[in-house]
Amino acid sequence: SFPDLLLPPTAFPPSFQWGVATSAYQIEGAAAEDGRTPSIWDTFCRVPGAVRGGDNGDVACDHYHRMPQDVALIKSLGVDSYRFSVAWPRVQPHGRGPVNPAGLAFYDRLTDELLGAGIAPWVTLYHWDLPQALEDAGGWPHRDTAYRFADYAMLVFDRLADRVGTWTTLNEPWCSAWLGYEVGVHAPGRRDFGAAVAAVHHLLLGHGLATQRMKAAATREHTFGITLNMGTADPATDAPADHDAARRADGMGLRAYLDPLCKGTYPQDVVDDLAERGVAFPVRDGDLDVIATPIEVLGVNFYFGQDFSGTDEHGCRVDADGHPVVRVVPQDRPRTAMDWPITPERLTQLLLRLHRDYPGLPLVITENGAAFDDAAGESGFVADEGRTAYLAEHIAAVAAACEQGADIRGYFAWSLMDNFEWAEGYAKRFGIVHVDYETQRRTPKRSALWFRDTIARHRAT
Ligand code: GBH
């Protein structure tokens, strides 16, 4: 074991859930099997230059064919829970209409395999793989997609709800909206500010409609929620323009989701910022009540915090249209292979702030982890000190927030194994288990062994 990185075992509440996380497109492969149709990511991967190395998810970790062995691997880590996502184009190939029995059967088998291994399944209904047919009909900027999502959610819920306790709707709707429809670095690769703003609202509406319907159909205790990406936004200096830049980043990144979800209203400053640009959330009567359907858990995905500036040496900068520029200021910090700064203390601050500003909502860290340039030896073993230290520092940061009163119920490491890292293809490895993509051999890294020991020590107390 690694005594230098062991944490006080009493630092977490007794029922704290430890887990590992993945998502469908990143690990499953079998992209054209058993009736699955293309998602926006299958299409995007074929756009020249869109994904590093021209990589795609056709095979990925071949999890679709190796699921029982992968569940055994998860069990060997001693975790309580496994967070996976369901591929919409497997379950409902055209994004509407009848269920595809063969596709849904895979998640049925996965659920049973997990339960047989004593691992609680945690479902994410949407981790970015919109059926291409729905994108062709307008995608998330189009209101109808929200209703299609709720229908799809019910197909999965009807089949698995008797065995799955935790249901989260969306993974990181900010990424779907902004990276997909405005920045264009994620599928479907569009660049349209107004479309991204509409996508934000329709993603939230889809979450609310699905949650309402699942709750109405529930016949046992379930936990319902959503997962948001929560990088933190701090001002780079005390200059008013930097505070304003941080406010804008926090508004669009975090409050634009949490306020409607928890308070049934969009933040006024965000609405005003959008109005400056002649854009508004396409809200219809009753939408905000639907979006504010009570949830029982908030999934927090945390990787790093950023510092923002609204000024440079020439004062406040504006873009070509006269809108203030929000700029990320590089921090003097160690970095991961993604070039992301390592900022564990900001996770503690974030959790305490969520506890203060959105009281009464239990928190779970649904993703936390890091890519490093892993060199695997002949045996496949990776002595990933950097990742191990990253996990230890961030788990300690969670413990610090627990000690200061935040209601945190669990922690999932991202990711169970190396996988398809979206625009970065297979070049970036986030796994605590190494995957040899030639042989599909899985080998736990040092970080996986450390994580296993940490969980075991916690449980022993
Ligand atoms: C998560 O996204 C995903 O849920 C997961 O599938 C993925 O594999 C994992 O992280 C690792 O990347 O620099 O403007 O993009 C995290 C995506 C990356 C979103 C950092 C926010 C910062 C702002 N996050 N990003 S920007």
Side-chain angles (χ1 to χ4, degrees), residues 85-241:
S85 80
V86 175
W88 189 346
R90 246 186 233 297
V91 167
Q92 194 187 33
H94 302 289
R96 64 180 83 234
V99 71
N100 170 30
L104 191 49
F106 172 72
Y107 300 102
D108 200 71
R109 294 196 301 277
L110 171 58
T111 299
D112 285 343
E113 196 75 28
L114 288 166
L115 293 174
I119 301 161
W122 172 304
V123 164
T124 299
L125 286 163
Y126 183 77
H127 200 124
W128 305 356
D129 43 2
L130 187 73
Q132 181 61 40
L134 289 185
E135 179 57 28
D136 295 342
W140 286 110
H142 185 53
R143 186 176 172 94
D144 184 60
T145 304
Y147 294 88
R148 300 287 67 77
F149 175 69
D151 285 353
Y152 150 70
M154 287 309 294
L155 294 178
V156 184
F157 189 77
D158 283 343
R159 178 68 172 265
L160 302 183
D162 60 332
R163 285 157 292 152
V164 172
T166 306
W167 291 83
T168 49
T169 52
L170 309 174
N171 178 72
E172 303 190 347
W174 180 93
C175 291
S176 297
W178 293 100
L179 301 182
Y181 291 97
E182 213 263 335
V183 190
V185 296
H186 279 188
R190 289 177 56 187
R191 287 166 198 260
D192 176 341
F193 187 80
V197 172
V200 170
H201 183 65
H202 296 141
L203 283 152
L204 284 169
L205 181 63
H207 155 82
L209 291 166
T211 304
Q212 254 187 355
R213 286 182 57 187
M214 290 190 288
K215 286 194 148 183
T219 55
R220 53 166 273 206
E221 276 287 293
H222 290 105
T223 303
F224 295 98
I226 187 170
T227 282
L228 304 177
N229 52 299
M230 299 208 203
T232 55
D234 286 300
T237 75
D238 253 338

Side-chain angles (χ1 to χ4, degrees), residues 16 71 220 239 286 313 408 422:
F16 197 81
V71 171
R220 53 166 273 206
E313 61 279 15
I408 306 164
W422 308 113

Side-chain angles (χ1 to χ4, degrees), residues 319-350:
D319 68 16
D321 303 326
H323 306 298
V325 170
V326 168
R327 209 156 49 96
V328 177
V329 178
Q331 301 168 58
D332 185 18
R333 292 284 189 129
R335 288 171 181 269
T336 70
M338 297 291 279
D339 208 30
W340 294 348
I342 300 174
T343 60
E345 79 291 349
R346 297 196 187 186
L347 176 55
T348 307
Q349 291 161 15
L350 168 70

Side-chain angles (χ1 to χ4, degrees), residues 3-15:
D4 49 321
L5 293 174
L6 288 175
L7 298 163
T10 51
F12 300 94
S15 61

